[in-house]
Amino acid sequence: MANLKEIRNRITSVNSTMQITSAMKMVSAAKLKRAQDAITQMRPYAEKLQEILSNLSSSLDTSENEYAQEREVKNVLIVGVTSNRGLCGGFNNNITKKIKSIAASEYKGCNISVLSVGKKMIDAMKYTDWVNADADLYQNPEEIWNDLTFNNVSEMAITLMDAYKAERYDKIVIIYNSFKNAAVQIVQNEQFLPIIAPEEDNTTNTTDYVFDPSKEEIVKDLIPNSLKIQLYKALLDSHASEHGARMTAMHQATDNAGDLKKELQLTYNKARQAAITNEILEIVGGAEALKN
């Protein structure tokens, strides 16, 4: 059994750790509220716009919509969305595992590049020999978390769209955590380009569209804006998921530290009682020796 001083030092250390994790939990909870409000407000608009985008694409010829042109998939770009910081449970690890999984199954034999949105993804890619980090596509994508605004995300979306139009990539997908609640984040594998047309449903009547302004102007403006919104929603989802995962992880860490502190306190009390008992026995033994 450790001596009393060692146990006291461990109790002090655990108590300090518990204070830190508790403070981090409170900070993440405050940030989560803002991030959750942002994605909750954005999600209905983005989903409706995505529905319109898919329906519009299905009504256009592929020659009229360069973002829906399907090609033989040889070069794939995976946009991996993680955080810049850790201490958020399996939030980042789930993304890297998903990317490795789909690369080995869905895109086996393809030339795969990864755009790492987040320092944790950059760190993970350093130890992966089968993937090419496309560093020259977009400089310092991890810095987008320092100022997550629609304008900054739009620049990234434009870069992705230009790369697809230039046939640098035949397919672009986004892997990110979708926010469900503070304790649950769902890894999403979402195709960004080419645009996926909705599946035909013979039970419903096809919709006829009246284009105003012209079809060309709609293709020029609405579709790029819809893609920007799609990427922005994915990043907002990941941002809220990060704070939810970190809050949950810090809550569990605080609880575990509390349990460990109780165990150490119990061990300390037992050791202290044992030491007192030994001292009493020594005193009694010394007294008996003096009598004799």
Side-chain angles (χ1 to χ4, degrees):
M1 183 179 292
N3 60 46
L4 293 176
K5 185 178 179 180
E6 291 177 350
I7 298 175
R8 281 199 302 268
N9 289 339
R10 288 194 64 190
I11 291 174
T12 302
S13 177
V14 170
N15 190 55
S16 299
T17 301
M18 188 166 60
Q19 291 177 352
I20 293 172
T21 56
S22 179
M24 292 182 66
K25 171 190 170 184
M26 295 176 64
V27 171
S28 294
K31 292 182 178 180
L32 173 62
K33 181 64 171 64
R34 295 192 295 268
Q36 184 176 354
D37 290 343
I39 186 58
T40 301
Q41 295 169 11
M42 170 60 69
R43 188 174 286 162
Y45 173 74
E47 290 176 353
K48 188 62 180 178
L49 197 59
Q50 179 66 23
E51 179 185 341
I52 295 173
L53 172 63
S54 299
N55 289 330
L56 175 61
S57 298
S58 65
S59 67
L60 300 174
D61 296 331
T62 55
S63 59
E64 297 175 308
N65 183 8
E66 56 191 344
Y67 298 111
Q69 295 176 354
E70 294 190 6
R71 304 187 286 263
E72 182 183 358
V73 180
K74 296 180 179 178
N75 300 305
V76 179
L77 176 66
I78 300 176
V79 182
V81 184
T82 62
S83 65
N84 285 341
R85 298 187 297 126
L87 297 177
C88 46
F91 174 82
N92 295 311
N93 191 42
N94 291 337
I95 298 296
T96 57
K97 286 197 299 185
K98 182 65 175 180
I99 290 177
K100 292 178 182 179
S101 173
I102 65 171
S105 56
E106 294 182 33
Y107 307 124
K108 187 176 181 180
C110 297
N111 182 26
I112 300 173
S113 298
V114 174
L115 178 63
S116 303
V117 184
K119 292 180 180 179
K120 292 301 177 180
M121 177 59 65
I122 295 175
D123 295 340
M125 291 301 104
K126 290 179 181 178
Y127 305 101
T128 307
D129 54 2
W130 48 262
V131 71
N132 300 316
D134 212 348
D136 61 331
L137 177 65
Y138 190 88
Q139 296 297 322
N140 303 320
E142 74 278 3
E143 293 183 0
I144 201 166
W145 296 122
N146 298 332
D147 187 18
L148 184 59
T149 63
F150 178 72
N151 290 335
N152 290 338
V153 175
S154 295
E155 295 178 6
M156 182 182 293
I158 291 172
T159 301
L160 297 178
M161 288 185 281
D162 290 344
Y164 179 78
K165 289 192 295 182
E167 298 187 7
R168 184 171 179 175
Y169 304 106
D170 304 309
K171 191 174 184 179
I172 300 176
V173 296
I174 309 172
I175 308 296
Y176 66 98
N177 282 292
S178 177
F179 178 80
K180 183 175 182 180
N181 55 52
V184 179
Q185 300 83 38
I186 303 172
V187 177
Q188 296 287 349
N189 177 11
E190 189 173 285
Q191 182 167 318
F192 185 70
L193 287 169
I195 298 171
I196 303 176
E199 297 181 0
E200 295 183 1
D201 188 354
N202 296 328
T203 62
T204 59
N205 296 326
T206 57
T207 304
D208 293 329
Y209 288 91
V210 176
F211 296 97
D212 183 24
S214 65
K215 184 185 298 186
E216 291 74 16
E217 291 184 53
I218 291 177
V219 172
K220 182 179 179 181
D221 296 330
L222 179 61
I223 293 180
N225 285 335
S226 300
L227 291 170
K228 293 175 185 177
I229 290 292
Q230 181 183 352
L231 180 60
Y232 186 47
K233 182 193 78 69
L235 294 184
L236 286 179
D237 248 326
S238 181
H239 188 55
S241 297
E242 175 192 349
H243 292 305
R246 182 170 291 111
M247 186 187 75
T248 302
M250 291 302 99
H251 175 74
Q252 293 175 347
T254 302
D255 289 346
N256 292 338
D259 294 339
L260 180 57
K261 182 181 177 182
K262 291 178 181 178
E263 292 178 6
L264 289 172
Q265 190 67 52
L266 182 61
T267 302
Y268 177 80
N269 292 337
K270 289 181 178 179
R272 185 168 176 269
Q273 289 172 358
I276 293 172
T277 301
N278 288 333
E279 291 177 0
I280 294 174
L281 291 175
E282 290 175 359
I283 293 172
V284 172
E288 290 294 330
L290 290 174
K291 289 180 181 179
N292 296 331

